[in-house]
Amino acid sequence: MELLYASCVGVLISCGVFLLLRARTFPVVLGLTMISYAVNLFLFSAGRLTINKAVVLGTGAEYADPLPQALVLTAIVIGFAMTAFVVILAIRGRADLGSDHVDGQIIKSAADSKEQR
Amino acid sequence: MIQHLTSLPILLPMLAAVILLLPPCGKSLRIRRIASSIMAVITFIVSALLLIQVYNSGINVYAIGNWSAPFGIVLVADMLSTLLVALTSFLGMGVVLYGCAGDDAKGNFFHPLVHFLILGVNGAFLTGDLFNVFVFFEVLLIASYSLLMHAGDKQNTRAALQYVILNLVGSSVFLIGLGILYGVLGTLNIADMTQKVALLTGDDVYLAKAGGLLLLVVFALKAALLPLHLWLPNTYASAKPVVAALFAIMTKVGVYAMLRVYTVIFGEQAGELEHMAQSWLWGLAIATIVVGAIGVMAAQDLRKLTANLVVVSVGTLVALIALQNVTATAALLYYLVHSTLVSAALFLLADLIATQRGKVGDRLVAGRAVNQPYLLGACFVIAALTVVGMPPLSGFVGKVWILKTTLNSEQALLFWPVYLIASFVLLVALSRAGTSMFWERKGNKVESAEGENAHPLQVMIIVGLLACSPLLVVFGGPISEYMVSAATQLHDISGGINAVMQGGK
C-alpha cells in the first residue's frame, strides 16, 4: 500500500509541475489542482498509514492520528477557495490580455508588430 | 476582558471587515469610511495596549477554547510578536485613512479587504502553531490578491495572475514541509517542536532537515529573498500605491516566520540541526542586497525603485537573521520597524508625485513640475535620507547598529563592503530620482491645473509616517532597550517553551 500511495503522490506532483510549466492559464489551474491533491494525500500520510484503526471514539480503542485529518480538511477548504479565485482571475486575464499565456504575451503576427511601431 | 486582550488584534479586524460588508456600511461610502477609520484606530489602540501589557508582564499565552498548549491552538504574544502587531495596526490605520482621501472609491471592497489583510498579518504574528501560520498566510494572501486588483488595469491583471500562481505553488510547498515536520515530530506547536527537534535521532534528522529547508523556500518566497524575489518589483509597482504601502509589511511576515523557525525551532537547542539554515540565509541575503541595489539603480519609475528598496531591506534583515545572536536580532527589529514605515511612506509619496505630474506619472524623466514642490520635495528628501541611512534619521541609527553587530563576526569582511557599497548605490539612485522628478521640468508651472493639490489627509499620513523616523531616533534609548529585551526573550528558548507549555492552562 505504501508504494502505491507514494507513487500516487509522486505522479500527481510531477504531472502538476509539468502542467504548471506549460505557462497557459488553463493547464496551470489544472496543475495547481493536481499539486494540491497530492499535497492533501501527503499530509494525510504524515499521520502514518494504518489499517483497521477507527477515528477517535471514546477511550481504550486504538485510533488513527486525528490531527492530519484536521490539517487535510483545512487544506482542502483553503485549496478550493484559492482554486476558485485563480480560475476567475484566469478568465479575467484572458479577457483583459487577449491571451491565456501567464506572461500575458500576445503572439503577434509580423504585420501587427509593424503596425504598433 | 484583560485576559482576552491577546485575541483582540485578530478578532477586531475580522469584526471590522464583516461590519464593513454589511448593509449600512456596504451601501454608503461615507459611512464605510467613518466605520473603517474608527475600527482601524481601535485596532491600533488595542495592539498598543497589548504591547504595553506584554512589556510589563512577560509572555502572554492565550489558549483558544481553553485547550492547553501541545493539543490546542495557542496564541503567543511575546515582545517580538506584539511589536510587529502594533506596527501592522499602525500601518493599517495609516493606509485606511489615506484610502479615505479618494483611493477607496475606485473599487468596492477596499476597506473590508484592508481589514482582512490586517487580520491575516496579525494572526500570523500572534499564533504559536506552525499550521496556523499557514492558515493566516492564506488569509492575508487572499486579501492581498484582491487588493492587488483594486482599481486595476491590464498590467495589474498580469502581475496579479503571476503573483497568485506563484503563491499557490508556495502554499503547496509550505504544506509539504509541514507534513514532513509533522510526520517526524508529531506536533506543529512551535514550542513543542522546539523541544522535540533536539530529541531526533537517525534518519529522522535528515527528514526534519528536508522539511525545515522546504519551509525556507516558502519563507524566502514570501520575504522575496534572492532567487524568489522576482515577483516583488512587478507586483508592488503595479498595485495602487496605497495598497503597496500596506504590502510593505507582508515581506516582513516572511522574515518573522524565518526568525521563529530558524532562530527558535532550529536554533541553539536543536542538537544536530543547530542553526541549519544559517549558511543558506547568509549567502542568499548578501546576494539579495546586491541584486536589490542593482534593481534600484535600474528602476525606471519611483514605485519600482521603492519596490527594489524593499528587496534591499529584506536582504539586510535576513543577513541579520543568519548571524543568530541577540544583538543582531535587536538590530534587525529596529531596522524592520524603520524600513517598513519608510518604504510605506515612499510608496504613498510616489502616489502624490505621480498624480501631480500628470501624464509622466512617477517615471523618472523630465516632466511637468509638481504643484506643491516644497512640500513633496521636503518629504522626498527626508524619506530618501532615511532609507539610505544618512544621519541624523533612523536609517542611520539602524545602519550603525547593523554594522556594529556584524563588526566582530567573521562575516564582516563580506558584509561591510557589500552593504556600504549598496547604500552608496541607493544614495546615487535616489538623488538621481529626486533630481529628475523635481528639477528637470518641461513647460512652465502655469499650465498645471488648479485644485490638484494633495488632500490634507494624504499629506498628514505621509508626514505622520515620516515623523516616526526622527521619533525612532529621539526615543532611541528606550526603543533600543525594548528591541534588546525582545531579542533576548526570543533567544531565551527554554523560557519561551515553559511559558507556552504552562501558560496555556
Side-chain angles (χ1 to χ4, degrees), chain B residues 36-311:
Chain B
S36 177
S37 312
I38 292 174
M39 288 308 282
V41 171
I42 294 177
T43 310
F44 173 63
I45 292 171
V46 167
S47 310
L49 284 178
L50 180 65
L51 181 80
I52 294 167
Q53 200 205 353
V54 169
Y55 183 66
N56 288 333
S57 65
I59 301 178
N60 216 336
V61 179
Y62 183 80
I64 296 173
N66 238 355
W67 289 87
S68 60
F71 308 109
I73 293 166
V74 288
L75 300 179
V76 182
D78 60 1
M79 287 168 77
L80 168 66
S81 49
T82 48
L83 173 73
L84 293 172
V85 163
L87 178 67
T88 313
S89 309
F90 180 69
L91 192 63
M93 186 174 70
V95 165
V96 164
L97 292 175
Y98 189 93
C100 287
D103 276 321
D104 58 350
K106 291 169 189 156
N108 281 330
F109 299 110
F110 177 79
H111 287 296
L113 285 171
V114 168
H115 285 280
F116 274 128
L117 188 64
I118 297 173
L119 152 74
V121 177
N122 278 353
F125 286 147
L126 280 176
T127 184
D129 183 292
L130 215 49
F131 190 75
N132 268 47
V133 173
F134 166 76
V135 174
F136 282 116
F137 265 32
E138 296 303 306
V139 172
L140 78 90
L141 282 175
I142 201 156
S144 75
Y145 301 156
S146 323
L147 272 177
L148 190 56
M149 297 295 292
H150 175 75
D153 54 4
K154 283 184 185 179
Q155 288 303 314
N156 232 324
T157 315
R158 173 161 49 185
L161 196 57
Q162 292 168 347
Y163 174 70
V164 170
I165 290 170
L166 208 60
N167 273 305
L168 286 180
V169 177
S171 305
S172 304
V173 177
F174 198 165
L175 279 176
I176 294 176
L178 286 180
I180 295 175
L181 285 179
Y182 181 78
V184 176
L185 299 171
T187 177
L188 285 175
N189 181 293
I190 291 175
D192 204 18
M193 286 171 89
T194 313
Q195 281 180 325
K196 296 212 166 128
V197 163
L199 307 174
L200 289 178
T201 48
D203 292 344
D204 284 350
V205 173
Y206 299 103
L207 270 177
K209 192 167 186 180
L213 289 177
L214 273 177
L215 290 188
L216 179 63
V217 174
V218 187
F219 298 151
L221 177 70
K222 309 287 175 199
L225 200 60
L226 177 69
L228 301 166
H229 76 286
L230 289 166
W231 59 271
L232 188 139
N234 250 334
T235 311
Y236 282 32
S238 71
K240 287 292 291 175
V242 61
V243 174
L246 189 58
F247 283 9
I249 193 77
M250 275 182 16
T251 50
K252 274 66 180 185
V253 180
V255 171
Y256 170 81
M258 281 184 201
L259 214 50
R260 279 274 177 234
V261 172
Y262 303 110
T263 305
V264 177
I265 297 180
F266 298 108
E268 292 148 22
Q269 300 197 333
E272 287 185 57
L273 292 172
E274 189 182 335
H275 301 318
M276 70 168 186
Q278 198 178 7
S279 50
W280 287 98
L281 288 176
W282 181 251
L284 293 178
I286 298 284
T288 309
I289 297 176
V290 173
V291 172
I294 294 172
V296 169
M297 202 65 182
Q300 301 286 326
D301 55 51
L302 186 58
R303 283 187 290 172
K304 214 157 217 170
L305 192 150
T306 315
N308 279 300
L309 287 175
V310 174
V311 175

